[in-house]
Amino acid sequence: MRTMRASLAQIAEFAQGGGEQIAMLDAAIKVVTLAKSIPSIFPPGSELTELPNKSGAAPTSWDDVDRFLDAQKHLVIETGKLLAAVKDGNKDAIGQQVANTRRACSACHEQFRD
């Protein structure tokens, strides 16, 4: 998730006038790939109560797996829109979609993270 955060920051910087579009495409592809991989990164039981502070997933995350997967699917949609915006190159649209993607990240963290 640190990679996702760093990639979003890099894309946000591009939206404000910094960086090269090709690097932003790589960053956006990372974000999409990570969003799609969340179920495998955080499978049920990954709260790791025996290894605190390794995952950050709340043990209650698995009380409603469908809700967790719905949040992940929403993130995948938003990251897909971000990739499309980066491909288009419209910096205003990219900035707005970075904000939308961050909101999707935050919504999941509020529900499922310790």
Side-chain angles (χ1 to χ4, degrees):
M1 297 299 97
R2 288 182 195 129
T3 299
M4 184 177 280
R5 184 179 335 146
S7 295
L8 283 171
Q10 185 180 16
I11 296 166
E13 181 182 322
F14 174 72
Q16 295 173 358
E20 298 293 323
Q21 187 173 8
I22 191 71
M24 297 316 109
L25 283 171
D26 289 342
I29 290 168
K30 281 182 195 175
V31 169
V32 169
T33 301
L34 287 167
K36 289 179 179 179
S37 71
I38 286 173
S40 65
I41 295 171
F42 299 106
S46 65
E47 67 274 5
L48 298 175
T49 53
E50 70 279 4
L51 297 170
N53 302 316
K54 293 292 181 183
S55 165
T60 57
S61 297
W62 315 123
D63 293 343
D64 189 350
V65 173
D66 290 337
R67 191 169 54 115
F68 175 77
L69 293 175
D70 285 345
Q72 179 264 339
K73 287 174 188 170
H74 178 68
L75 179 62
V76 169
I77 290 167
E78 294 303 326
T79 60
K81 291 176 184 177
L82 179 62
L83 177 58
V86 170
K87 285 180 179 178
D88 185 49
N90 179 317
K91 292 185 179 186
D92 290 334
I94 294 168
Q96 181 59 52
Q97 195 53 45
V98 166
N100 293 344
T101 302
R102 285 180 171 158
R103 277 193 291 280
C105 290
S106 294
C108 194
H109 286 195
E110 289 168 7
Q111 296 178 55
F112 301 109
R113 190 170 170 200
D114 266 344

